[in-house]
Amino acid sequence: MQFDEITVPGKGPYGITAGPDGRMWATLVHDGQIARVGDAVEVFDLDPGCGPAVITPGPDGALWFSRLHDHRIGRITVDGTASSFTVPSPDAGPYGITTGPDGALWFTEMNLDRIGRIDGDGGVHEIPLGLEGCFASTIVTGGDGALWVTLNQADAIARVTVDGEVTTFPLPTEKAAPVGIARGDDGAVWFVEIGAGQIGRITPDGDVTEFPLPDRAARPHAITPDGEGGCWFTEWGASRLGHVGPDGGFEHFAFPAPGSEPHGLAVAPDGSLWVALEIGSVAVLRP
């Protein structure tokens, strides 16, 4: 398997997603910038210390992202015009973000055990998850029309309806520390357990299956569906790309540079897989 690598003129490619313009958009968490990556790379400046982390396409044709360090939610249009919105609670630590089933943007607040909802005008509503110290990490809209959230320090997955009803599903493995989460092609939600070195799958009614990685110290971080019933995931601790099939079978592929620190990943409209490498590049796996 051959990766192409594109150097990004900035520190810390972290989150990445496909934009409505057919290009890939990445956060540069250490430089406070957003990069648009294709045949060429364009970089758009934000506040240097804002810490852009996870990025997602919004329903309005713009890209929305969390600003972890200055506790704001950012928005950038495809022409590079950026704006941001304050999260009402101080030091909230927004991190994961997704477009919800109601057309709003939903995000996690890692420091406050809450999730938030922001509409297109910047109005924010916060929902407590009911577990102290749960460290809500990433969030995705499931096929059932609810929001699904990894609770990293509670070793659990939460399901939250758009009306704010919270149901928590404890994971079978202690110190699982779930982080990345994605809506699978099979109607379930898939997630990674960075602490236990496992990939998990949870059905809409809360049935959990865990698949132990061959290398339990690989530190899986982010996950995305492959369009064929399986998922791709990054192994941050092992500098590898992983793939899990519908039956739990694994494949693993090393990145060319050791210590690449792979984080976010996303599939482009043409089927290529893009991975943000915090060392300063984006890896591309062509179909």
Side-chain angles (χ1 to χ4, degrees), residues 154-171:
D155 298 327
I157 305 294
R159 179 184 184 272
V160 186
T161 68
V162 293
D163 296 326
E165 180 181 346
V166 181
T167 306
T168 303
F169 301 100
L171 298 177

Side-chain angles (χ1 to χ4, degrees), residues 225-247:
D226 65 3
E228 298 179 350
C231 290
W232 296 100
F233 59 93
T234 50
E235 295 181 312
W236 174 75
S239 288
R240 288 192 301 249
L241 173 70
H243 181 268
V244 58
D247 59 354

Side-chain angles (χ1 to χ4, degrees), residues 29-253:
V29 64
H30 299 308
D31 273 355
Q33 296 172 320
I34 301 292
R36 178 164 56 186
V37 185
D39 296 333
V41 179
E42 299 172 83
V43 174
F44 304 101
D45 293 330
L46 308 171
D47 297 326
C50 69
V54 180
I55 187 167
T56 192
D60 57 352
L63 289 304
W64 292 71
F65 54 96
S66 55
R67 295 173 42 145
L68 179 62
H69 295 158
D70 67 356
H71 313 289
R72 301 175 71 86
I73 299 299
R75 177 183 183 271
I76 188 166
T77 63
V78 294
D79 66 359
T81 302
S83 56
S84 66
F85 304 93
T86 303
V87 174
S89 298
D91 301 322
Y95 180 70
I97 189 167
T98 188
T99 296
D102 57 352
L105 279 299
W106 291 72
F107 59 93
T108 60
E109 297 181 345
M110 291 194 301
N111 298 341
L112 298 178
D113 309 319
R114 302 175 183 173
I115 64 171
R117 176 189 184 276
I118 182 169
D119 60 34
D121 296 325
V124 180
H125 173 64
E126 296 170 312
I127 299 172
L129 294 170
L131 287 174
E132 185 175 352
C134 67
F135 206 69
S137 297
T138 53
I139 186 169
V140 72
T141 296
D144 60 346
L147 290 307
W148 292 79
V149 187
T150 51
L151 307 183
N152 178 264
Q153 292 301 295
D155 298 327
I157 305 294
R159 179 184 184 272
V160 186
T161 68
V162 293
D163 296 326
E165 180 181 346
V166 181
T167 306
T168 303
F169 301 100
L171 298 177
T173 302
E174 292 184 3
K175 298 182 180 179
V179 183
I181 195 167
R183 175 180 172 175
D185 303 313
D186 57 356
V189 169
W190 291 70
F191 56 93
V192 300
E193 299 178 2
I194 195 171
Q198 300 186 134
I199 305 299
R201 177 184 182 274
I202 184 168
T203 64
D205 59 2
D207 183 33
V208 176
T209 305
E210 294 173 314
F211 303 102
L213 292 169
D215 178 5
R216 300 292 291 275
R219 306 285 287 173
H221 184 270
I223 189 167
T224 196
D226 65 3
E228 298 179 350
C231 290
W232 296 100
F233 59 93
T234 50
E235 295 181 312
W236 174 75
S239 288
R240 288 192 301 249
L241 173 70
H243 181 268
V244 58
D247 59 354
F250 289 111
E251 295 179 280
H252 304 269
F253 311 94

